Amino acid sequence: MKSKIVFSSLVLLTSFLLFNPVFNIAQAAQFELGEHYVEVKGIQSTTPQVTEFFSFYCPHCYKSEPFMHKVKALLPDPNQFIKNHVDGMPGRKIEIEHLLTKALITADLLNVKETIVQSIFSYIHQGKADFSELKDIKNLFLLKGVDSQEFDKTFGSFNVNMAANTMRNKTDLLRKQGFTKVPTLIINGKYKPNTESLKSMDEYLELIAFLLTKTA
């Protein structure tokens, strides 16, 4: 069954690459290791995957959301686009950042991730507000129809705490390699685009599409 799933994902990705105008196979040769992308320490995935390291407090991350939706559209399955919230942004309270990391995971488990991500971004960047305690974050969930007890149960669960630790570990590993900017995309667990070498956002998408074909 697993092999069938992997094969189906690759078929969908191949179909996209062949027929989507964003990516031209003839242009694949223009992307070179060391110039347009680098390898990072990590386990290369067997299926296409994009991980976005971002912070809710990052203005550029907020403005990049429409682009990230285009990146997600490159994938056979939207769930293969993974948001990894980054703690430890300059001038921010680490306790609140930890809460926001858990809020992201909670929203995913409660199937309200898209709307909660937008709500948190809007709260900070449009409303020019900040969170002072968990209640402020919880209120955003309640406004979106999430049950209060269901939120408490999920937010405080073992699964959420473990997933939050995993996100922090991934962030630490990336930072130890000298990559501290957000947003940062890691493709298939192994490749980081060098955005400074790119001339346009379309070329960025082409590079991501190219790297998505490099699976283990």
Side-chain angles (χ1 to χ4, degrees):
M1 178 63 70
K2 183 178 179 180
S3 61
K4 290 183 179 179
I5 294 174
V6 172
F7 177 75
S8 297
S9 295
L10 291 176
V11 168
L12 287 171
L13 178 62
T14 301
S15 298
F16 171 83
L17 297 178
L18 289 175
F19 298 109
N20 194 294
V22 170
F23 186 77
N24 185 338
I25 295 296
Q27 293 178 332
Q30 76 184 28
F31 298 123
E32 297 182 2
L33 177 64
E35 180 179 355
H36 300 100
Y37 65 97
V38 296
E39 290 190 3
V40 299
K41 294 179 181 178
I43 299 175
Q44 188 173 358
S45 62
T46 57
T47 57
Q49 181 187 96
V50 177
T51 301
E52 179 201 5
F53 289 83
F54 82 105
S55 169
F56 282 117
Y57 287 111
C58 165
H60 188 51
C61 296
Y62 169 57
K63 293 177 182 177
S64 295
E65 277 292 283
F67 177 76
M68 295 305 167
H69 286 293
K70 292 182 180 180
V71 174
K72 187 184 296 186
L74 296 176
L75 293 157
D77 182 346
N79 292 322
Q80 292 168 316
F81 183 90
I82 303 165
K83 279 185 171 292
N84 192 111
H85 190 247
V86 171
D87 298 339
M89 294 290 288
R92 300 298 177 179
K93 295 180 180 178
I94 193 69
E95 297 84 3
I96 299 299
E97 289 179 307
H98 287 343
L99 293 179
L100 289 173
T101 295
K102 292 179 64 175
L104 173 66
I105 300 163
T106 298
D108 193 15
L109 292 176
L110 296 177
N111 298 313
V112 290
K113 184 170 70 172
E114 292 294 331
T115 183
I116 291 298
V117 165
Q118 184 57 48
S119 293
I120 294 176
F121 269 132
S122 296
Y123 186 87
I124 295 172
H125 298 284
Q126 291 185 11
K128 306 299 181 183
D130 199 357
F131 302 97
S132 59
E133 56 182 328
L134 176 58
K135 183 175 67 175
D136 298 333
I137 299 172
K138 179 179 177 178
N139 284 339
L140 295 183
F141 282 78
L142 300 184
L143 288 172
K144 298 302 178 181
V146 174
D147 178 75
S148 177
Q149 292 185 347
E150 189 67 20
F151 172 85
D152 293 338
K153 178 182 176 181
T154 305
F155 190 89
S157 69
F158 174 81
N159 288 341
V160 168
N161 286 318
M162 286 299 295
N165 287 334
T166 297
M167 283 192 182
R168 282 192 285 273
N169 290 337
K170 288 182 178 180
T171 299
D172 289 342
L173 178 60
L174 200 62
R175 283 174 169 167
K176 287 177 181 177
Q177 298 177 66
F179 305 119
T180 59
K181 294 181 180 180
V182 288
T184 289
L185 295 183
I186 301 299
I187 316 301
N188 294 348
K190 197 67 179 175
Y191 305 104
K192 177 192 172 297
N194 179 17
T195 55
E196 289 80 5
S197 69
L198 304 175
K199 299 180 178 64
S200 67
M201 299 307 286
D202 283 343
E203 188 178 20
Y204 193 6
L205 284 175
E206 291 171 9
L207 174 57
I208 293 170
F210 165 67
L211 293 175
L212 285 171
T213 67
K214 298 170 69 65
T215 54

